[in-house]
Amino acid sequence: MKKILLILCCLIQNLGVFAQKTDTLVIHDDESRYLTNSYFLELEDPRNKILARDIIYNHNFHRINDQFPRLEYSKTITWLKFTLKNASRQSTVPITISRSVIDEFDVYFIDSNKTGPPRLRHLSAKDASNSSNLLTQSITLVEAPLEPDSSITLFARIKSNATTVIPIQINSADLFITRRGIENLINGAVMGMFAIMALYNLMLFIIVGDKNYLYYSIYIVFLSLTQGLQLGFGNNLFSGNLRLLNNYIIPLTRICFGYTLLWFAGNFLRFKQNVKKPFYKFYQFLYVLYALPLLATLYGYTDIAYSLITFAIFTTCLTLIMLVTILYTRGFNPAKFFIMGWGLFLIAILISICKNYGVVPYNYFTANIVVYSGLIELILFSVALADQINFYRRQNTESQLAALAIAKENERLITEQNISLENKVKDRTQELIQTNQSLSVTIDNLKSAQIQLVETEKMASLGLLTAGVAHEINNPINFVGANVSPLRLDMNELIELLGKFEIAANNPDKPELLIAAKEYKEKIDSDFLKEEIHILLNGIEDGANRTAEIVQSLRTFSRIDEPALTPTNINTAILNTLVILRSAIPYYIEVKPILNTLEPLNCYTGKINQALLNLINNSIQAIEAKKEHHKENITIYTHDFPDHITIEIMDTGIGMSNEVRQRIFEPFFTTKNVGEGTGLGLSIVFGIIEKHNGTIQVQSSPNIGSKFTVTLPKHLTNSEVSPFD
């Protein structure tokens, strides 16, 4: 039994070896053959972890069912292993990949001329020495050095982010040059036709002035760019940076082609006027659809971008066929050419997609069907353009004749109406002149009243300032005055004592004078006299300091009309305001400033002090309005934030109802009795805060109190605010 199992294992291993065996691809003179699945083994490397030096000993190569190698989203890098025999007379065998979006194509072969272990030699498509022939400029070419009647095993590494078939072609050197010359001639002719069509329609635009020709020329330009890159002309321009070409230039060009196709079709066929709103919205949605591959391309998701572009172009062609069919059923005859053109282009795209996914075999027809269908499409669109322009010209002529008849009738009616209107206008103008004169007088009176009220409010604030300053300055001055009289008496006694000692010093022969001076010194108690003088001087100094403090506080209020922003310490401004208001604060109100450290703030210093004065005085009056007072207080907080500061003023006053709170910043609104207030205090505060690009919020409840929160931005500049009137 063990012998049977051993034999079966050997058979399975041998079958695996035979299954991996491929045919040798033999190239004769004047022969060109594709590398199909019977000649190569494949090894997927989606994570790019396989190194070239390890590929010789990798036994994971396997055969595939597809005729050609194919790269897709889950397989962006693949290795191919195949054996090539040169049966031609040339010593090189060109290996090419054409009409595919290939980022990298590298070929390696085992170098048997060196001693030691086998090593791979690299034949890169980017090596200029291997692509000296100018006919190779639109393909990816590697020239394998292979002497006649010799064989070589090659390893090809291919990378692409696009789902595509890899048509690797093995050529004899003489046939390769001949075929490339013919293909370049055909490709040049195709691109020449695109260029002629674009220039011809651009010339028609210049002559006729119809923008449809301009839109068509732009569409042809991007179509020709797309097809030129499809033919491989971009490989020469970006031969040193194929990733830039494949990952950005090609997808962005195809996206622009889609946008120009939509732009040309929408303007040329006037979808906005000729199709219903739901269909037109779906047509507009196609613009958004192309934004998805655009974002995928910009963020580096190239594989997803190619799939989204294919889906977007397929959806665009299908939608345009549907919309143009609707126009054709409504009698728009030129639409039939667009149906044929976009229908043919849609079929070409479907065949190209099927070719890339291996559903349709790769050959010259399937490789070039999109290019040639684009040429046929341009011819059909040109015919449709001419027919459509004639159609619109007939419509324009008929509409112009109808418009001319209507215009003449309207002219007659307008002439009759003008005569009647002129008479009415004259009467109405006279009435308006009289009304305007009356309004001008009223406006002047209102402006005068407004100025008087604002000045009244300023005078009220000035009166509050004057009363506070007078009371505050009076206390230290009285203190100084009270100390002057005893200081004068002390100084007189001290001066008299000094005089007695001076007389005794001048008459040393009379000791009785010195004794009299010492007796006077004991009488006036000189030690007590010196101590009392120091006390009186300290009192005078304290009074002077308090007076200077009040004057310093008052200076900030003297800058109320300053024209520019200046750095100001808000905490200092609050303390100065409290100094001014100290005499106006009743004994039963406790003021608690809780001030966080703030950096200087750009503001109109005088205006901010005026606002603080009004807000704090408003809180004082709100507490005074209560019938009974228990533990009344006003708390002032400052807070620092990254881009602004806040000032919170909380009181235990009578509070406000919601109706009053919503109107307190209205000019002339007041809850006081007639003659007790102008109603402009909080309105002026609101205007000052608004001028500083700040905000003020109020929270209040009846019989509980109110809270005003002022927010001021940091780093305010003169260009960001308008000066005060």
Side-chain angles (χ1 to χ4, degrees):
M1 187 65 183
K2 292 182 179 179
K3 292 182 179 180
I4 295 174
L5 291 175
L6 183 60
I7 292 171
L8 288 174
C9 291
C10 293
L11 287 174
I12 292 172
Q13 290 179 354
N14 290 331
L15 287 173
V17 172
F18 288 125
Q20 301 301 321
K21 189 175 181 181
T22 57
D23 297 334
T24 298
L25 182 58
V26 182
I27 294 296
H28 299 85
D29 287 325
D30 297 327
E31 186 177 21
S32 176
R33 301 179 68 179
Y34 284 108
L35 184 65
T36 59
N37 57 357
S38 60
Y39 297 111
F40 69 86
L41 299 176
E42 184 177 272
L43 175 62
E44 294 83 7
D45 184 18
R47 297 184 179 179
N48 194 20
K49 290 187 176 181
I50 300 176
L51 302 177
R53 63 173 180 267
D54 302 326
I55 200 67
I56 302 175
Y57 305 103
N58 196 308
H59 301 291
N60 294 322
F61 281 94
H62 58 275
R63 300 189 67 166
I64 62 173
N65 295 325
D66 295 331
Q67 183 182 10
F68 293 102
R70 183 165 62 88
L71 293 177
E72 52 191 9
Y73 176 75
S74 60
K75 188 178 70 174
T76 58
I77 300 177
T78 188
W79 286 84
L80 303 179
K81 178 181 179 181
F82 59 96
T83 302
L84 178 62
K85 181 178 180 181
N86 185 8
S88 67
R89 291 170 293 179
Q90 285 77 23
S91 59
T92 59
V93 178
I95 304 173
T96 63
I97 297 180
S98 60
R99 310 281 168 78
S100 295
V101 181
I102 304 300
D103 295 334
E104 297 176 12
F105 178 50
D106 299 291
V107 178
Y108 302 85
F109 69 93
I110 301 175
D111 189 354
S112 59
N113 295 326
K114 295 183 178 181
T115 60
R119 297 182 64 184
L120 287 182
R121 184 179 174 186
H122 180 214
L123 295 174
S124 175
K126 300 176 182 178
D127 188 356
S129 63
N130 293 324
S131 57
S132 58
N133 196 312
L134 293 177
L135 298 176
T136 65
Q137 60 184 355
S138 62
I139 62 171
T140 304
L141 166 68
V142 171
E143 293 180 352
L146 187 59
E147 297 297 329
D149 296 325
S150 61
S151 300
I152 191 173
T153 298
L154 299 173
F155 297 88
R157 180 182 179 274
I158 309 168
K159 179 180 179 182
S160 175
N161 286 314
T163 299
T164 182
V165 171
I166 310 299
I168 300 178
Q169 197 170 13
I170 314 297
N171 311 271
S172 63
D174 52 356
L175 182 62
F176 170 74
I177 295 175
T178 303
R179 284 193 173 182
R180 289 308 302 162
I182 296 173
E183 288 184 11
N184 283 342
L185 183 62
I186 295 174
N187 293 342
V190 170
M191 296 307 297
M193 292 180 65
F194 280 121
I196 291 172
M197 292 289 290
L199 292 174
Y200 173 72
N201 285 278
L202 183 61
M203 183 176 63
L204 287 178
F205 164 70
I206 295 173
I207 296 173
V208 178
D210 193 330
K211 290 185 179 180
N212 288 317
Y213 288 110
L214 177 62
Y215 301 151
Y216 190 43
S217 298
I218 297 173
Y219 167 70
I220 295 173
V221 168
F222 280 98
L223 177 62
S224 62
L225 288 176
T226 304
Q227 301 307 322
L229 294 175
Q230 177 74 16
L231 291 173
F233 286 104
N235 290 21
N236 184 41
L237 296 175
F238 298 92
S239 59
N241 195 348
L242 289 181
R243 289 189 179 182
L244 174 63
L245 172 67
N246 296 330
N247 293 354
Y248 294 100
I249 302 300
I250 291 179
L252 290 177
T253 303
R254 293 182 181 180
I255 292 169
C256 291
F257 163 71
Y259 277 121
T260 54
L261 174 59
L262 292 173
W263 188 34
F264 162 64
N267 287 278
F268 189 61
L269 299 175
R270 299 183 183 179
F271 285 151
K272 188 174 183 179
Q273 294 83 11
N274 295 335
V275 298
K276 293 182 179 179
K277 192 173 183 179
F279 294 109
Y280 182 71
K281 284 187 175 180
F282 187 76
Y283 158 76
Q284 290 180 312
F285 169 74
L286 295 177
Y287 284 94
V288 181
L289 191 61
Y290 281 96
L292 299 178
L294 178 61
L295 292 175
T297 301
L298 295 178
Y299 282 97
Y301 299 101
T302 310
D303 45 2
I304 300 175
Y306 276 108
S307 300
L308 291 174
I309 290 170
T310 301
F311 175 75
I313 293 179
F314 175 78
T315 306
T316 299
C317 290
L318 196 63
T319 304
L320 293 178
I321 290 173
M322 177 187 68
L323 295 178
V324 175
T325 303
I326 293 174
L327 292 179
Y328 183 69
T329 56
R330 293 179 181 174
F332 186 64
N333 191 58
K336 62 183 178 183
F337 298 105
F338 287 90
I339 296 174
M340 290 186 289
W342 279 317
L344 179 62
F345 196 61
L346 179 62
I347 293 171
I349 291 174
L350 286 173
I351 294 175
S352 179
I353 294 173
C354 293
K355 175 202 68 177
N356 290 335
Y357 284 90
V359 178
V360 174
Y362 181 92
N363 51 46
Y364 182 82
F365 174 75
T366 57
N368 294 279
I369 186 170
V370 175
V371 177
Y372 296 131
S373 66
L375 283 175
I376 298 173
E377 177 191 20
L378 290 184
I379 296 173
L380 292 172
F381 284 1
S382 298
V383 176
L385 180 63
D387 196 6
Q388 188 255 15
I389 289 175
N390 291 331
F391 175 79
Y392 282 132
R393 281 180 177 174
R394 288 193 299 269
Q395 281 189 338
N396 288 336
T397 302
E398 294 174 358
S399 62
Q400 287 175 359
L401 292 175
L404 182 61
I406 294 172
K408 289 183 177 180
E409 179 64 19
N410 288 339
E411 185 180 2
R412 184 185 64 82
L413 294 173
I414 290 171
T415 302
E416 294 177 356
Q417 291 177 356
N418 284 341
I419 297 173
S420 175
L421 288 173
E422 284 178 359
N423 296 327
K424 293 181 178 180
V425 167
K426 290 180 181 179
D427 297 337
R428 185 60 178 164
T429 301
Q430 189 63 32
E431 294 177 4
L432 289 174
I433 291 172
Q434 296 175 356
T435 304
N436 285 338
Q437 292 175 348
S438 176
L439 286 174
S440 296
V441 174
T442 303
I443 290 171
D444 291 340
N445 293 335
L446 287 174
K447 285 183 178 180
S448 177
Q450 182 182 10
I451 292 171
Q452 291 177 2
L453 285 170
V454 171
E455 290 300 324
T456 301
E457 183 63 27
K458 287 184 179 179
M459 292 302 294
S461 298
L462 182 59
L464 184 63
L465 278 173
T466 303
V469 170
H471 184 275
E472 287 299 317
I473 291 179
N474 188 54
N475 289 333
I477 287 178
N478 288 338
F479 191 64
V480 171
N483 286 355
V484 168
S485 295
L487 178 61
R488 181 180 289 110
L489 292 176
D490 291 342
M491 290 299 295
N492 289 336
E493 290 178 352
L494 184 61
I495 291 170
E496 185 176 353
L497 176 62
L498 290 175
K500 289 181 180 295
F501 274 107
E502 183 180 1
I503 294 171
N506 293 330
N507 298 281
D509 54 339
K510 296 180 179 182
E512 64 274 9
L513 295 176
L514 180 60
I515 294 171
K518 290 181 179 180
E519 289 176 352
Y520 186 75
K521 177 182 178 182
E522 291 176 359
K523 178 182 178 181
I524 64 174
D525 193 357
S526 61
D527 293 333
F528 173 76
L529 188 65
K530 288 187 291 183
E531 182 179 354
E532 185 178 26
I533 289 173
H534 284 296
I535 293 172
L536 293 174
L537 288 175
N538 288 337
I540 292 172
E541 184 180 10
D542 289 341
N545 290 335
R546 289 189 61 186
T547 304
E549 178 187 358
I550 296 168
V551 172
Q552 179 64 28
S553 300
L554 188 61
R555 286 179 62 191
T556 59
F557 289 88
S558 67
R559 297 155 61 188
I560 195 168
D561 293 321
E562 60 188 358
L565 299 171
T566 55
T568 302
N569 190 317
I570 295 298
N571 290 339
T572 303
I574 293 172
L575 296 176
N576 289 339
T577 303
L578 293 177
V579 169
I580 298 301
L581 288 173
R582 186 155 49 194
S583 63
I585 301 175
Y587 69 92
Y588 51 79
I589 298 177
E590 179 185 5
V591 179
K592 298 185 290 186
I594 304 174
L595 310 177
N596 290 316
T597 302
L598 302 177
E599 62 184 34
L601 182 76
N602 274 350
C603 64
Y604 294 102
T605 307
K607 294 294 184 180
I608 290 295
N609 277 286
Q610 183 183 2
L612 292 172
L613 181 71
N614 284 347
L615 289 173
I616 297 173
N617 188 53
N618 188 72
S619 296
I620 295 171
Q621 292 175 352
I623 296 175
E624 288 177 338
K626 295 175 70 174
K627 295 180 179 179
E628 296 181 356
H629 302 98
H630 303 284
K631 296 182 180 180
E632 308 297 347
N633 63 79
I634 298 173
T635 307
I636 305 172
Y637 295 94
T638 59
H639 301 282
D640 187 28
F641 296 95
D643 58 349
H644 66 277
I645 68 163
T646 60
I647 305 168
E648 297 178 359
I649 301 175
M650 303 172 60
D651 63 64
T652 56
I654 58 175
M656 294 174 281
S657 64
N658 288 332
E659 294 77 8
V660 173
R661 181 173 54 82
Q662 292 174 1
R663 299 187 60 192
I664 58 172
F665 295 119
E666 293 181 9
F668 313 115
F669 175 78
T670 181
T671 57
K672 300 177 182 177
N673 296 327
V674 178
E676 294 184 3
T678 62
L680 289 175
L682 290 178
S683 175
I684 291 174
V685 170
F686 183 83
I688 291 173
I689 302 304
E690 189 178 48
K691 283 287 187 179
H692 285 81
N693 293 342
T695 60
I696 181 169
Q697 298 177 345
V698 184
Q699 298 175 356
S700 184
S701 299
N703 301 319
I704 295 178
S706 302
K707 175 183 176 182
F708 287 81
T709 303
V710 176
T711 301
L712 295 173
K714 293 182 176 179
H715 314 299
L716 200 63
T717 61
N718 287 309
S719 60
E720 296 175 341
V721 296
S722 56
F724 284 87
D725 297 332

